[in-house]
Amino acid sequence: MIASVFNSLGLLQRNLVLTGLHQVRSKNYLNRPRLRNPIWFVKKERTLHDDHLTPENKTFVKEVLHSKFGPPAIIKGVLTYDQKNDISSSLINTEELPPVQWQPGLKRTGVIARKIGQYPLWKKDGTKIRTTLLQIIDNHVVKYIPPEEFKPAQEPRQRRNWRKPYGCLMVGAQSMDPSLLTKEYCGLFKDSGVMPKQHLCRFIVSPEARLLPGTPLNVTHFRVGDYVDVRGKTVDHGFQGVVKRHGFKGMPASHGVTKTHRKPGNIGAGGNKARVWPGTRLPGHMGNRWRVLRGLKIWRINTKYNVMWVQSGNIAGDTNGLVYIYDTILPLRKYQEAPAFPTYLQTENDSYADEDIWHEEIHNFKHGSITFKEE
C-alpha cells in the first residue's frame, strides 16, 4: 500500500511538471539596489597624504595641472575648482566637425543636472503650475566612442541588437582638483582639454551627433517648450515595513490586537500555490531605484545660472541630487522642428547671456498683472 501511495505521488508530480503547474523561478538573483560603480568606471578617490608643500610649490603644481588638462572650466552659479570669469576658456574650435542637418530619428546627447528645489509658476490665465528647478552643472564632453568600439553594459543572458549603429558620448560634470584623484581616473581626461570631473555619465548618440572633447553643454542645449525625460534615483529609505513602504493602514491599536499593529497580516497561503506570489507587497528595501519621468515640459530657462524650470513635482531624488536629462522618446512630444543639433555652440557675442527665457503662456513676474485704462 505504501508503494502504491509513492507511485501515485510520483505520477502526480510528473503531471504537474508536464502541465506547467510547478514552481519556476524567472531569475536566480534578487532585485537589490546597486551600490557599486559601473564596470567601465575606474577607481576615483586616492589616499591623501600631507605632502607639506609650500605656497610656491602649490602654485607650480597648479600651473602644471592647467598645462596638462587645460584651463579651469567655466561654471555658471556653481562653486568648483578655480572658478574664473574668462569665457574664452570654454570655447572650442569646431571646424573639424562638418555641419550636419537635423533629421527625425537622430539621437542627441543628454546632460547631467542637479535638482535644486521646486517653484510654482502661473500661466497668464491664472493656472498654477508646479515646477522643479534643474541646474546643469558644468557639463563638458570628455570622450566620444564610435559605434564599432562602443559595447554597452548588458544584463546576464540579455542580447541587444541595435537597429541603427549608435555611438557613445562620455559627459562629465562639476570640475574638481586633480590632486585628489587617482592617476587612472585623471587619465580619462588627458586628451579632453578640461579639468577632471566629479561625475561621469555615458549617453548613447547617433554618429551624426558626435561632439569634440571639451565641448561645453549648457542649458541652451534645450529650448523653452521642449519636452524632456528626466532620470533620477529615488531617496534611499533602507529596509522598511509595509505601512511606510506600501501605505498599509495597519491593525487597531487595542481591542484584542496583540503585537500585530503594523504587520501585513495574512497573505493567503492556501490553495494550489502554497507559496508567495511574485509581486506581493511585503517589507523590504525602499528607495534607491532608478525612475524615469517622461514628457516633462520646459517652461522657463535662465542662461546665467544654467537653470531650467521643468513641469513636475515628483522627479526622483533628494534635493541637490543628480538627475540625467534626455530628449523625450514619447512619439507625440518629440521634436517637430530642428533643435540645436548636435548642441548649442556658445559664442562670445551671445545677446541673451544673462536673461531669462519665458514660455509665451507663462506670466512673467517682471510684468504687471493688472492694467488700468484712463477714460
Side-chain angles (χ1 to χ4, degrees):
M1 181 177 178
I2 298 178
S4 62
V5 172
F6 278 107
N7 292 334
S8 61
L9 290 177
L11 180 61
L12 178 60
Q13 183 178 5
R14 192 183 310 113
N15 292 334
L16 290 176
V17 172
L18 293 177
T19 55
L21 297 179
H22 65 292
Q23 181 178 359
V24 178
R25 295 184 181 273
S26 60
K27 55 185 180 180
N28 57 358
Y29 59 93
L30 298 177
N31 187 19
R32 292 192 178 97
R34 300 186 177 183
L35 304 177
R36 60 185 183 274
N37 291 324
I39 190 173
W40 54 270
F41 204 84
V42 299
K43 184 179 179 181
K44 180 170 65 173
E45 298 180 356
R46 69 176 184 87
T47 304
L48 301 180
H49 302 279
D50 191 2
D51 298 329
H52 303 286
L53 296 178
T54 61
E56 293 78 9
N57 292 336
K58 292 182 180 179
T59 305
F60 175 74
V61 170
K62 288 186 178 181
E63 293 178 357
V64 174
L65 292 176
H66 294 171
S67 61
K68 182 177 181 180
F69 297 103
I74 296 300
I75 303 98
K76 295 184 177 181
V78 181
L79 296 177
T80 54
Y81 180 69
D82 279 354
Q83 181 177 1
K84 289 187 177 182
N85 296 323
D86 185 13
I87 194 173
S88 62
S89 60
S90 64
L91 305 178
I92 62 171
N93 186 11
T94 59
E95 296 178 355
E96 299 180 7
L97 291 178
V100 180
Q101 188 174 4
W102 177 83
Q103 296 178 359
L106 295 181
K107 195 177 185 64
R108 298 194 308 166
T109 181
V111 295
I112 306 173
R114 189 182 297 280
K115 177 183 174 183
I116 60 177
Q118 296 186 12
Y119 197 80
L121 293 178
W122 284 266
K123 290 186 178 180
K124 294 182 179 179
D125 59 358
T127 305
K128 183 179 178 180
I129 302 175
R130 176 180 290 182
T131 61
T132 301
L133 279 71
L134 303 178
Q135 184 179 28
I136 301 177
I137 47 173
D138 186 23
N139 281 217
H140 285 79
V141 177
V142 178
K143 184 180 180 182
Y144 171 72
I145 304 175
E148 54 273 10
E149 299 180 6
F150 174 55
K151 297 180 180 180
Q154 298 182 356
E155 296 291 341
R157 302 175 302 279
Q158 177 186 6
R159 295 181 180 179
R160 179 178 297 176
N161 297 323
W162 300 108
R163 295 182 179 180
K164 298 180 182 179
Y166 286 105
C168 173
L169 273 179
M170 183 184 294
V171 178
Q174 196 167 351
S175 303
M176 64 182 305
D177 191 351
S179 62
L180 305 177
L181 305 173
T182 60
K183 182 179 180 180
E184 294 79 10
Y185 187 81
C186 292
L188 299 176
F189 307 89
K190 182 178 180 181
D191 300 328
S192 62
V194 297
M195 300 294 288
K197 301 290 184 177
Q198 187 173 359
H199 309 289
L200 288 178
C201 183
R202 299 199 301 180
F203 295 98
I204 298 175
V205 297
S206 301
E208 296 83 0
R210 63 181 294 258
L211 293 170
L212 294 178
T215 305
L217 299 174
N218 299 323
V219 72
T220 49
H221 184 71
F222 303 99
R223 299 171 303 186
V224 171
D226 293 346
Y227 294 92
V228 295
D229 297 342
V230 181
R231 177 174 178 260
K233 183 172 286 188
T234 57
V235 179
D236 189 5
H237 293 276
F239 193 94
Q240 297 295 332
V242 293
V243 175
K244 182 174 182 179
R245 191 185 187 199
H246 300 292
F248 281 20
K249 181 181 178 181
M251 298 186 184
S254 61
H255 296 285
V257 179
T258 304
K259 298 182 180 180
T260 57
H261 308 289
R262 297 176 64 91
K263 292 184 179 181
N266 184 21
I267 61 174
N272 295 326
K273 62 185 183 69
R275 62 188 177 95
V276 179
W277 284 102
T280 303
R281 295 181 296 177
L282 293 174
H285 195 102
M286 179 180 177
N288 198 29
R289 300 292 200 276
W290 289 105
R291 293 291 181 266
V292 182
L293 287 183
R294 304 193 186 278
L296 308 182
K297 191 172 184 178
I298 301 175
W299 290 106
R300 179 183 172 188
I301 283 178
N302 181 275
T303 58
K304 181 178 180 181
Y305 298 104
N306 270 346
V307 179
M308 62 171 63
W309 281 252
V310 179
Q311 181 173 357
S312 178
N314 57 342
I315 293 178
D318 202 352
T319 304
N320 295 326
L322 292 182
V323 296
Y324 305 96
I325 308 176
Y326 312 83
D327 295 332
T328 185
I329 62 174
L330 299 182
L332 300 181
R333 297 189 177 183
K334 288 185 177 181
Y335 288 112
Q336 303 298 330
E337 300 178 357
F341 189 83
T343 186
Y344 178 81
L345 298 178
Q346 186 179 1
T347 60
E348 297 181 357
N349 299 324
D350 283 342
S351 59
Y352 57 89
D354 298 333
E355 296 181 1
D356 287 341
I357 306 175
W358 301 74
H359 194 273
E360 57 183 5
E361 300 180 5
I362 296 297
H363 170 68
N364 191 343
F365 300 132
K366 298 179 181 179
H367 300 164
S369 58
I370 300 177
T371 56
F372 299 94
K373 296 182 180 180
E374 296 182 359
E375 297 182 356

